Amino acid sequence: MNIADLDLRTDEADTVERIHTHSVNVPLEYPVRTSVGIVSTSPMVLIDLYTRSGVVGRAYVFTYTPAALHATRQMVLGLGEWLRGQPLVPFDIDALMSRRLRLLGRTGIAQMACAGLDMAVWDALAVSRGLPLATLLGGTPRPLTAYDSHSMDGEATGVERAARARGQGFSAIKTKIGYATLAEDLAIVRALRRAAGPDVALLVDYNQGLTVPEAQRRIAALRAEGIGWVEEPTLQEDWGGHARIREGAGVPIQLGENWFGLDDMAKALDAGACDLAMPDVMKIGGVSGWLRAAALAQVRGLPMSSHIFQEFSAHLLAVTPTAHYLERMDLAGPILAEPLAFEGGKALPSSRPGVGLRWDEAAVARFAA
């Protein structure tokens, strides 16, 4: 796919009219326990972008902590004022936001807000054309291989979840490790391997919890366990440290969920920090940022997976040349009228126009923050 070949022209009347938001804090079926903290709920800012012709584009941003909800919502509304009257042309709007944020910098909450608006603009454009987003981008919505994303659950819950994922047809699962001792990490990995069986790929995530020497020590021990990848073993911004870990790991190193924009991704790849890429559509810059990241991954020959935002990711991976895995972690399902469907371990993108997001208004009211 050549981005330059996309026809993004819209009718003159199809311009952004206003932005509306809701803040919600949604319970999670399983709290996301990591080696560095616990995410107990799913705090999100829901975005509705209305155009003058009556089209509505929808997206959401995930703030990780309820403490960031108010600031993120205000940033979305503030930046959304710049979009009023703008033609529904995503790359032009992306350039506008980058230009106006040049002095402040486009990172952190500002990047999250920009990405949420970018996703809503792309969704509105696809809805206006009556096309699924993947089709608008030149691809076809299709089943995508997904892994079931688990937590630092302990042995009993971890085994239960691994067995359930296997029964649902998932060919890969991910667990978070980084327990107090290497012996505990190994015990969990081996218990999950027994529960999942030999044919299910087992992926592990340290959530940046180790020093470089400790990561080298633990990965050396994990090498014999048939691990599919080790994710973020040390501080994500320590690309040199990741390169040292990768050099002798013997196991693929996965990075990307915390890349704030394409520059971070390029620096990590230039440093030789990872074998695999996993951008987060919100942090990388929305749909526009993802398309650029996919091109960079293709040039570097890196398999590219998604991080959360499974509804958008299902459409974006369909047009990603080096598409690898979609992460199944359902943050928004409880407030969606039609959550993303999975069958036989594969994600089934919506065939509705756009991404197919529709809010369950009663649930939005119930979980209002």
Side-chain angles (χ1 to χ4, degrees):
M1 180 195 66
N2 186 339
I3 291 174
D5 291 339
L6 292 177
D7 180 8
L8 301 181
R9 294 170 297 176
T10 61
D11 295 335
E12 187 175 342
D14 204 7
T15 58
V16 178
E17 183 176 64
R18 62 189 175 93
I19 304 294
H20 183 72
T21 62
H22 286 94
S23 295
V24 294
N25 196 24
V26 178
L28 293 171
E29 181 181 6
Y30 294 96
V32 182
R33 302 179 185 278
T34 77
S35 60
V36 295
I38 300 173
V39 178
S40 301
T41 59
S42 178
M44 295 175 289
V45 177
L46 312 183
I47 302 172
D48 293 291
L49 181 149
Y50 293 86
T51 73
R52 198 163 294 169
S53 63
V55 168
V56 182
R58 295 186 176 91
Y60 63 89
V61 294
F62 172 61
T63 69
Y64 290 83
T65 170
L69 268 174
H70 178 70
T72 305
R73 183 182 183 190
Q74 290 305 117
M75 183 65 80
V76 169
L77 290 171
L79 300 187
E81 287 298 308
W82 296 346
L83 274 57
R84 283 180 180 266
Q86 293 295 322
L88 204 60
V89 182
F91 291 127
D92 287 356
I93 288 176
D94 177 69
L96 170 70
M97 291 191 288
S98 291
R99 188 166 61 249
R100 293 198 175 180
L101 285 169
R102 195 155 293 149
L103 297 181
L104 173 65
R106 186 167 165 172
T107 188
I109 288 176
Q111 173 74 330
M112 291 161 59
C114 285
L117 291 167
D118 179 88
M119 288 188 277
V121 169
W122 277 100
D123 187 56
L125 180 61
V127 171
S128 74
R129 300 293 178 84
L131 298 172
L133 179 61
T135 305
L136 177 76
L137 294 174
T140 303
R142 57 183 173 83
L144 294 154
T145 301
Y147 70 82
D148 205 26
S149 191
H150 300 172
S151 183
M152 201 178 210
D153 296 313
E155 186 169 336
T157 301
V159 164
E160 175 189 324
R161 295 184 73 181
R164 185 173 73 170
R166 182 189 63 186
Q168 292 171 334
F170 285 94
S171 59
I173 62 173
K174 185 173 82 177
T175 189
K176 296 179 182 297
I177 57 175
Y179 291 88
T181 66
L182 170 59
E184 290 174 275
D185 281 355
L186 290 170
I188 290 291
V189 166
R190 289 165 181 167
L192 297 186
R193 170 58 67 206
R194 290 192 294 271
D199 298 328
V200 174
L202 187 57
L203 319 171
V204 300
D205 184 359
Y206 274 108
N207 286 107
Q208 309 180 56
L210 304 176
T211 64
V212 171
E214 183 63 8
Q216 291 171 320
R217 184 177 82 92
R218 294 201 185 197
I219 293 171
L222 286 168
R223 194 179 300 139
E225 305 301 326
I227 299 299
W229 77 48
V230 175
E231 188 174 337
E232 288 192 331
T234 195
L235 295 174
Q236 75 88 20
E237 65 271 20
D238 184 1
W239 300 314
H242 275 101
R244 295 197 301 278
I245 292 167
R246 178 184 172 224
E247 185 176 356
V251 179
I253 301 300
Q254 174 71 275
L255 279 183
E257 71 176 73
N258 287 299
W259 289 334
F260 266 100
L262 201 65
D263 286 351
D264 273 3
M265 181 178 181
K267 289 173 183 175
L269 301 192
D270 285 346
C274 56
D275 302 281
L276 308 168
M278 180 192 282
D280 175 294
V281 65
M282 176 182 71
K283 292 180 181 178
I284 204 67
V287 174
S288 300
W290 179 282
L291 295 174
R292 296 172 180 127
L296 183 55
Q298 181 183 20
V299 169
R300 301 298 185 97
L302 265 66
M304 185 156 140
S305 299
S306 65
H307 178 251
I308 58 177
F309 296 96
Q310 58 188 32
E311 302 82 12
F312 270 89
S313 298
H315 286 266
L316 294 173
L317 283 170
V319 296
T320 298
T322 60
H324 193 194
Y325 281 118
L326 178 137
E327 180 178 31
R328 185 221 194 184
M329 181 180 282
D330 196 359
L331 300 177
I335 52 89
L336 294 179
E338 295 180 13
L340 180 66
F342 290 83
E343 184 176 322
K346 294 183 181 293
L348 307 178
S350 170
S351 59
R352 295 170 58 86
V355 173
L357 293 181
R358 291 192 298 141
W359 313 131
D360 178 335
E361 299 296 346
V364 170
R366 184 162 67 253
F367 299 127

